[in-house]
Amino acid sequence: MLSSLLKVFGSRKAPDEELVVETEVPSRAGEREPAYKDATIRLESGQKLRAIAVDFDEKGARLRFTGHQSLSDTLAVSINGFCRMRQARVAWYDGADVGLAFIGQPADPMDLN
């Protein structure tokens, strides 16, 4: 059995270096405050989704969904105890995690505690 697996997989060639694409994601200047807070997403279509804010700061947030979500490029997010409703754009996806970058300043000073 092992010899047949080696014949199939052991003879595979390494991918050409030209075909391997590496993208570097710029890191943020500081660490975000870890959290575990309820979050609500409102899509441009009006649909609401629930998530957990894993971490956040005044520039953005990382949200975790129960599974992969298809989100529009821009949306509104509310994070319990942090902001009532902020406009944001989707910066990255990683499985069930989504990184958001807030757009502009809060509409209401109370939206950023």
Side-chain angles (χ1 to χ4, degrees):
M1 175 81 172
L2 181 59
S3 63
S4 61
L5 289 175
L6 289 174
K7 286 179 186 177
V8 173
F9 295 106
S11 63
R12 291 177 52 180
K13 295 181 182 179
D16 294 336
E17 287 187 30
E18 295 174 11
L19 299 177
V20 176
V21 178
E22 292 185 21
T23 57
E24 186 174 321
V25 177
S27 61
R28 54 188 168 270
E31 291 296 316
R32 288 186 175 156
E33 179 182 338
Y36 194 84
K37 296 186 179 278
D38 290 326
T40 303
I41 304 295
R42 187 179 329 138
L43 303 178
E44 290 175 339
S45 66
Q47 179 184 8
K48 289 186 179 182
L49 302 171
R50 303 280 297 172
I52 296 296
V54 177
D55 58 39
F56 56 84
D57 64 14
E58 68 279 350
K59 294 181 181 181
R62 176 170 48 133
L63 302 183
R64 182 164 295 149
F65 293 90
T66 56
H68 177 74
Q69 293 293 326
S70 178
L71 302 174
S72 55
D73 291 338
T74 58
L75 46 83
V77 60
S78 172
I79 300 173
N80 188 26
F82 179 67
C83 62
R84 284 188 235 158
M85 196 58 67
R86 292 280 309 266
Q87 294 296 313
R89 68 173 177 78
V90 175
W92 54 266
Y93 284 98
D94 185 14
D97 286 4
V98 175
L100 301 179
F102 295 133
I103 300 171
Q105 297 298 317
D108 182 337
M110 292 299 291
D111 279 350
L112 187 58
N113 296 335

